[in-house]
Amino acid sequence: MSRPVVGIIGNHALLNESYPVHAGGTMNSEAVADVCHALPLIVPADPRYVSVEDLLDTCDGFLLTGGRPNVHPEEYGEEWTEAYGTPDRARDAITLPLVRACVERGQPFLGICRGFQEVNVAMGGSLYPEIRDLPGRDNHRMPPDGTLEEKFALRHTVTFSEGGVFHRLMGAAQVLTNTLHGQGIKEPGKRIVIDGHAPDGTPEAIYVRDAAGFTLSVQWHPEWNACNDPVSRPLFQAFGEALCSWHNQRRPYKLTA
């Protein structure tokens, strides 16, 4: 049987500081191929090249990846300032309507870091430009120095809602995760359920209430060491089950509280 196809949302980048590319981290493809047992396909997230309709017809599900550019604050009614960092309006134009379409159809997606934030914005929520500037909040950004292993090392706990979707999926009410983000949820979007928090209160795990399909999203980066990490692996395995359900029967699959 053919494998489900996962559209991995690519990020615009410059190769060798001059050549424009749409790229996706190798660890994303590895997690999709080795844990979900699906076919990874990098998507050029730009409406000049693809449409939401094309993607929905071509892919069984989507991995909404992390990325350095942030969702433009105009998408949630705020003016851009330098605090919001570099935006990517082309990616916004694809991913935000894509999330809403997937929620409506029951087509699965997994949101990671920026993808987590995209899901909140797509559902009408807003973001803080810089978590570490808020009173009582920690610095969740990637360490500026060190090896990849050091940058993606486990750094804080995430506590899930008792008996909630993530608690049951992980088999634990509290887990250890990495953290490599600057922004975070300010106001949750309509139907967004915050199902896990960092020790400083930052939302870390969400899903869309009453969605037909798989909509789990996390603020950390589970694609790192996904084959072996006891938190990452069940998340991608559940995503893989949702992909297979859609691929084989066009049937939505979701985890319920």
Side-chain angles (χ1 to χ4, degrees):
M1 295 178 63
S2 61
R3 289 187 288 171
V5 176
V6 176
I8 297 177
I9 300 301
N11 286 297
H12 181 268
L14 291 177
L15 184 64
N16 296 328
E17 300 182 354
S18 61
Y19 186 74
V21 297
H22 282 105
T26 303
M27 64 183 76
N28 291 307
S29 298
E30 182 177 335
V32 165
D34 294 349
V35 186
C36 297
H37 304 296
L39 177 67
L41 181 68
I42 296 176
V43 171
D46 189 321
R48 294 177 296 174
Y49 313 126
V50 299
S51 70
V52 170
E53 292 74 20
D54 289 337
L55 295 175
L56 292 169
D57 289 343
T58 302
C59 302
D60 295 295
F62 301 92
L63 185 65
L64 307 171
T65 59
R68 187 170 297 279
N70 295 311
V71 179
H72 199 290
E74 286 182 359
E75 298 290 350
Y76 44 93
E78 298 185 15
E79 293 185 3
W80 180 89
T81 67
E82 290 186 2
Y84 287 95
T86 304
D88 185 345
R89 297 315 302 267
R91 175 165 167 163
D92 294 344
I94 291 294
T95 54
L96 300 182
L98 179 64
V99 167
R100 292 188 285 265
C102 285
V103 169
E104 180 70 22
R105 289 161 60 102
Q107 205 157 343
F109 62 77
L110 173 60
I112 293 175
C113 199
R114 175 189 160 118
F116 167 98
Q117 296 163 9
E118 286 171 331
V119 173
N120 186 57
V121 173
M123 300 305 293
S126 62
L127 304 172
Y128 287 114
E130 190 67 69
I131 290 292
R132 63 184 174 183
D133 290 343
L134 300 175
R137 297 291 188 94
D138 298 327
N139 183 3
H140 289 255
R141 283 193 171 275
M142 176 191 291
D145 302 309
T147 64
L148 276 182
E149 288 78 8
E150 291 167 336
K151 291 179 178 180
F152 282 86
L154 305 180
R155 290 173 55 198
H156 68 58
T157 59
V158 172
T159 302
F160 302 126
S161 302
E162 187 69 27
V165 172
F166 280 88
H167 182 185
R168 291 187 298 104
L169 175 62
M170 301 297 177
Q174 190 175 86
V175 298
L176 271 174
T177 73
N178 55 38
T179 183
L180 300 93
H181 65 100
Q183 297 195 322
I185 289 179
K186 180 179 181 181
E187 292 292 335
K190 185 179 180 181
R191 298 169 61 191
I192 291 294
V193 177
I194 299 175
D195 204 36
H197 294 83
D200 65 354
T202 298
E204 293 279 342
I206 62 173
Y207 62 89
V208 180
R209 180 185 291 110
D210 298 327
F214 186 100
T215 63
L216 271 57
S217 301
V218 298
Q219 185 63 88
W220 70 89
H221 283 265
E223 73 275 24
W224 173 258
N225 195 29
C227 290
N228 303 307
D229 184 80
V231 176
S232 300
R233 188 171 184 84
L235 184 59
F236 277 99
Q237 286 176 328
F239 182 42
E241 292 174 10
L243 292 165
C244 286
S245 180
W246 188 266
H247 178 70
N248 294 329
Q249 300 175 309
R250 285 297 185 266
R251 180 179 297 172
Y253 168 103
K254 71 172 183 177
L255 301 164
T256 56

